[in-house]
Amino acid sequence: MSNILVVGKPNSGKSLLFNRLTGVSQKVSNFPGVTVEIKSASFRKHQLIDFPGTYSLDPITKDEQIAVDQFVESISNKTVKGVLCMLDSTRLERSLVFALQAQKMALAAKVPVMFALNMMDDIERIGESVDVEGLARDLSAKVFPISTRKRQGLDQLSDALDEMASKPATFLPVESLDLDFDHIAKAHELHRVYGASVHKLLAQQNKLDSFFLSGVFGGLAFVFIMLLLFQSIFTWAVPLMDGVEAGVAWMSDLVSRNMSDGVIKDFLTDAIFGGLGSFLVFVPQIMVLTFIIGLLEDTGYLARASVICHRGLSKVGLSGMSFVPYLSGFACAIPAMMAARTIASPRRRLLTILTIPLMSCSARLPVYSLLILVLIPPIKLVGGILDLRGLVFFGLYMLGIVSALFVSAMLSKFAVKNEEDVPFILELPPYRLPSWKPLLQRAWNSAKAFISKAGHVIFAVTVIVWVLGYFPNGAGNLDNSYLAMMGKAIEPIFAPWDLDWRYGVAILASFVAREVFVGTLGTMFGIDGADENIAGLAGNIQADGLSLASGMALLVFYVIALQCASTLAVMRKELGSNMIPIYTFIGYSLMAYIVAWFTYLAFV
Amino acid sequence: MTNAASLWNIEQGDTAVVSGFVGISTTYLRRMREIGIDIGTEVICLNRPPFSAPRQFQICDGVFSLDKEIAGSIKIMAS
Ligand SMILES: Nc1nc2c(ncn2[C@@H]2O[C@H](COP(=O)(O)OP(=O)(O)OP(=O)(O)O)[C@@H](O)[C@H]2O)c(=O)[nH]1
Ligand SMILES: [Mg+2]
């Protein structure tokens, strides 16, 4: 086996190149520190390995540590046949500081190195150029000018990589190089002699920054962008959701008309259409959410948002670097916790990881949407620009964020030791126009992941709930079923919020996965109401008479409770502690229960 | 010349020359050199967002945000 390592400065385009050469879809985003794990995939007869970016071989954050440790370990490994060092031609000096260090270490271990000079499209756009031959001569290595984004120069690079990995010895410099140089000074010199002048690019960037980072406008822009994010999840997805709902209803209707009555028909209409179907309605929202987060990541705005938030987040023990993990927490807590590796301070990283579960992840979306449809009337506000449902939805996300800040502040004050702190240093990436195709691809992938989860976990729970709810007495007899027997035993737990046993069962089942709440309720209402699913689950719950106070208590419970085993497992791995996830789980469960109770009392 | 002049004090749009570091650990001193901040380098202050948010500095071909803690420990020559 022959491995080629792809290393370089953060945000230089390593992962995009990796994707182009291997055909996989590793996450690419316009922010330094996106890749936080080593990832490998096959390229022709070889393996290409994508590394987290790092500014030097002396790491200060956990993602850099992973890159450096792995690089140092790999370089002496016999299977490593070459190193591809990514250089960002618009940030040549910064790129070379690391590249020269990496080259030194690789050559000392007799591993050949090749350079890719990326982002040449940007250099060409401002009518500049880089002296590639000169650079190659001074580096005693091949240098390939490329634009990964525009797919320019990739064929030559691929052929050369293939050749290097097949015949590594021929790619080593002929005469032995003087490796005893100061890499920082040499990087400066090489850039001065061969590099392009990037003043025009920086001037463009500064113009936008003086708006997005300015006092009043910067703050307003931040609030506006965040509001748009949440509002759009709710409003933009509506037509698509209506479409899915109509589709499910149509199929359910078709089946119930053409099948003779019996257990099979009941199972299909209750569990499949009623349970899983009511859950699928929310897929469009997941897609819109993923799309919008991706849009923000691509533009380069996230780095600015991190700067704007830094002081505020510092006050509660977090950091501006917590912003990106928090934002990805709206999609899923698992990658979010891993993204926290870019936070240099161990204490701030710990607090970030502990509070990420309070960001409303996409698994809560179906629960929020369903209950909002049931409880909140569609009232238009401010001449139709906003609507009440969108606002309540935004309020739930805000409640999660505020709780996270509160928990972090409390822990930072009373529990987590205040060790020596580390400074905030963040490179501001250029502003870029988003690449639409990968964005749409990502939204589509998120939908697929959501649906495949529906196919496994949620399907299994739905089937169990249906069997327990259907037997021994069949359709329309939910109240005398096995499920009811069990449910009534736990009824007292949720009695203070005036919820009956069916909701109790749905809540407990959703400790397997939050979305199960919707499928479970859908199934139970299906069993009870035969094939009246056409009205939609929201309509059924409304007709059943869920009160505003109980519904709000449920919503608040879902904002806070940590009902996700995978999140706890990743927390355990990231923090290297068995006890912290257990305490966190108990803590959030109690907090959710109590705050929900107060909510009930406030609305009743 | 005041001894207290640091990167944190320079006005938006002004250029300063780094003259030394005070109270930075070796790790961060090294990182400062790696991002291009060394004795004798020119640094431009691009932005000073309000409420003591990290400020933006252009160092050679890069733009970095530095908070008060680190920018305040980078001393500059009076120009
Ligand atoms: N204009 C332009 N943009 C590019 C090019 N290659 C990559 N990008 C963009 O640069 C940004 C960073 O790309 P990534 O592939 O995530 O960079 P990376 O080196 O893997 O970054 P880390 O994982 O953070 O170290 C993305 O917004 C890409 O779309 C290119 O050739 N031209
Ligand atoms: Mg990457």
Side-chain angles (χ1 to χ4, degrees):
Chain A
M1 191 153 60
S2 48
N3 292 323
I4 306 168
L5 316 180
V6 183
V7 297
K9 170 190 168 299
N11 210 40
S12 54
K14 298 178 294 299
S15 300
L16 186 60
L17 179 71
F18 177 80
N19 289 352
R20 295 268 199 258
L21 298 187
T22 61
V24 298
S25 46
Q26 167 87 312
K27 183 166 176 188
V28 167
S29 159
N30 191 9
F31 185 83
V34 176
T35 309
V36 292
E37 270 197 312
I38 311 284
K39 170 110 194 222
S40 80
S42 59
F43 157 71
R44 302 199 183 170
K45 343 184 261 301
H46 321 285
Q47 285 290 116
L48 215 55
I49 305 178
D50 184 25
F51 274 66
T54 172
Y55 285 101
S56 82
L57 284 175
D58 299 295
I60 58 175
T61 56
K62 186 142 175 148
D63 58 322
E64 288 188 339
Q65 182 82 53
I66 290 170
V68 173
D69 287 353
Q70 195 75 32
F71 182 69
V72 172
E73 196 193 307
S74 311
I75 212 74
S76 52
N77 191 317
K78 287 276 169 293
T79 62
V80 174
K81 303 295 184 198
V83 173
L84 175 66
C85 250
M86 199 64 149
L87 303 173
D88 174 350
S89 55
T90 67
R91 306 268 194 283
L92 189 59
E93 184 174 341
R94 298 286 72 74
S95 308
L96 283 166
V97 169
F98 169 76
L100 288 168
Q101 269 187 309
Q103 187 191 27
K104 231 193 242 192
M105 183 173 281
L107 291 184
K110 296 268 178 286
V111 175
V113 178
M114 188 184 274
F115 296 86
L117 189 60
N118 197 23
M119 319 264 180
M120 285 304 285
D121 54 315
D122 277 343
I123 296 290
E124 277 157 22
R125 186 161 55 83
I126 54 164
E128 284 286 333
S129 64
V130 177
D131 179 354
V132 180
E133 273 120 64
L135 191 61
R137 205 175 334 109
D138 251 348
L139 288 169
S140 306
K142 287 211 153 70
V143 178
F144 293 87
I146 60 170
S147 163
T148 312
R149 184 153 185 176
K150 301 210 154 148
R151 299 173 195 267
Q152 284 160 359
L154 301 190
D155 290 341
Q156 291 96 310
L157 177 67
S158 304
D159 291 342
L161 279 174
D162 192 358
E163 210 183 321
M164 173 169 74
S166 310
K167 293 177 267 176
T170 57
F171 276 74
L172 285 166
V174 209
E175 56 219 276
S176 65
L177 288 183
D178 173 20
L179 295 178
D180 191 27
F181 53 79
D182 173 19
H183 59 278
I184 295 173
K186 186 166 173 188
H188 185 68
E189 190 56 19
L190 289 177
H191 171 246
R192 194 183 61 78
V193 179
Y194 305 117
S197 158
V198 292
H199 283 298
K200 270 192 209 149
L201 286 176
L202 287 176
Q204 290 168 356
Q205 177 176 335
N206 293 342
K207 218 189 230 158
L208 287 169
D209 274 342
S210 57
F211 173 76
F212 282 115
L213 291 171
S214 72
V216 181
F217 289 118
L220 282 179
F222 180 78
V223 173
F224 179 75
I225 290 171
M226 290 302 123
L227 198 70
L228 195 73
L229 169 72
F230 298 114
Q231 184 76 30
S232 58
I233 302 172
F234 206 79
T235 45
W236 293 8
V238 166
L240 285 167
M241 290 168 72
D242 288 347
V244 178
E245 182 156 19
V248 172
W250 177 79
M251 284 205 292
S252 168
D253 191 42
L254 195 74
V255 167
S256 62
R257 241 185 280 180
N258 293 308
M259 274 180 80
S260 49
D261 287 349
V263 177
I264 307 272
K265 177 177 166 182
D266 285 344
F267 173 74
L268 285 178
T269 50
D270 305 344
I272 301 300
F273 294 111
L276 280 188
S278 43
F279 163 79
L280 287 182
V281 170
F282 301 100
V283 169
Q285 285 190 326
I286 308 284
M287 290 174 71
V288 172
L289 174 76
T290 320
F291 182 79
I292 294 188
I293 292 183
L295 201 67
L296 283 177
E297 288 178 348
D298 260 11
T299 55
Y301 181 71
L302 293 194
R304 279 74 190 180
S306 307
V307 169
I308 290 177
C309 291
H310 178 67
R311 281 282 294 180
L313 291 175
S314 298
K315 293 224 154 67
V316 294
L318 303 166
S319 149
M321 296 302 281
S322 309
F323 180 81
V324 170
Y326 265 14
L327 187 75
S328 41
F330 291 132
C332 176
I334 293 164
M337 286 185 174
M338 292 170 69
R341 290 177 185 173
T342 54
I343 302 172
S345 151
R347 170 170 161 268
R348 290 169 195 263
R349 178 167 168 259
L350 170 66
L351 290 172
T352 306
I353 291 180
L354 290 180
T355 48
I356 279 173
L358 288 167
M359 296 301 120
S360 292
C361 66
S362 58
R364 277 135 157 150
L365 255 175
V367 183
Y368 290 180
S369 298
L370 176 68
L371 292 172
I372 286 177
L373 288 175
V374 173
L375 301 169
I376 312 292
I379 297 176
K380 291 262 178 265
L381 301 168
V382 212
I385 305 172
L386 296 172
D387 74 274
L388 189 60
R389 285 176 168 170
L391 275 186
V392 172
F393 195 67
F394 179 64
L396 293 173
Y397 276 89
M398 286 313 293
L399 178 66
I401 297 171
V402 170
S403 315
L405 300 182
F406 174 77
V407 169
S408 178
M410 288 298 119
L411 289 176
S412 151
K413 203 164 164 99
F414 299 112
V416 183
K417 277 199 309 295
N418 195 351
E419 337 144 4
E420 199 198 334
D421 227 336
V422 300
F424 177 88
I425 305 167
L426 176 65
E427 181 169 12
L428 292 185
Y431 289 95
R432 291 190 200 285
L433 286 174
S435 350
W436 300 104
K437 226 177 109 191
L439 272 184
L440 292 171
Q441 181 72 44
R442 228 167 99 184
W444 179 241
N445 287 344
S446 69
K448 277 202 301 201
F450 197 75
I451 293 170
S452 102
K453 194 170 177 190
H456 300 106
V457 187
I458 296 164
F459 177 72
V461 178
T462 309
V463 170
I464 296 172
V465 168
W466 182 81
V467 170
L468 291 173
Y470 190 82
F471 294 104
N473 299 320
N477 288 303
L478 184 66
D479 241 356
N480 316 312
S481 64
Y482 296 128
L483 195 64
M485 270 185 254
M486 297 177 187
K488 282 177 182 154
I490 55 155
E491 199 163 29
I493 306 179
F494 301 101
W497 319 343
D498 197 24
L499 289 174
D500 65 47
W501 68 269
R502 292 169 303 174
Y503 293 94
V505 166
I507 293 172
L508 287 190
S510 62
F511 274 87
V512 175
R514 293 178 175 99
E515 310 92 318
V516 163
F517 178 80
V518 175
T520 309
L521 276 186
T523 309
M524 287 190 286
F525 277 94
I527 296 171
D528 234 10
D531 47 28
E532 282 151 27
N533 281 318
I534 296 119
L537 180 54
N540 285 339
I541 297 177
Q542 234 163 14
D544 190 60
L546 178 69
S547 78
L548 180 66
S550 308
M552 292 310 278
L554 262 176
L555 277 172
V556 168
F557 181 84
Y558 275 90
V559 170
I560 299 170
L562 202 177
Q563 301 156 292
C564 178
S566 328
T567 300
L568 291 167
V570 172
M571 186 186 270
R572 171 166 170 256
K573 191 163 148 253
E574 289 296 306
L575 298 176
S577 157
N578 287 332
M579 293 319 287
I580 293 178
I582 297 176
Y583 292 142
T584 312
F585 173 74
I586 298 174
Y588 283 144
S589 301
L590 286 176
M591 181 174 160
Y593 190 79
I594 294 166
V595 179
W597 198 341
F598 279 119
T599 309
Y600 174 80
L601 294 176
F603 277 90
V604 77
Chain B
M1 180 179 151
T2 54
N3 287 336
S6 73
L7 269 193
W8 191 252
N9 309 119
I10 58 175
E11 291 300 322
Q12 187 157 336
D14 283 0
T15 304
V17 175
V18 175
S19 67
F21 302 91
V22 177
I24 303 188
S25 68
T26 37
T27 312
Y28 280 90
L29 196 59
R30 201 187 298 124
R31 181 51 56 105
M32 285 300 110
R33 285 199 67 213
E34 286 158 356
I35 67 171
I37 301 182
D38 204 349
I39 292 174
T41 44
E42 271 192 7
V43 179
I44 309 170
C45 176
L46 296 175
N47 267 303
R48 290 168 52 120
F51 310 118
S52 310
R55 294 177 182 172
Q56 288 67 51
F57 301 96
Q58 182 181 330
I59 305 136
C60 184
D61 55 358
V63 178
F64 285 85
S65 279
L66 304 177
D67 65 356
K68 188 174 178 180
E69 191 186 352
I70 187 109
S73 23
I74 301 168
K75 300 296 155 194
I76 54 169
M77 274 176 234
S79 47

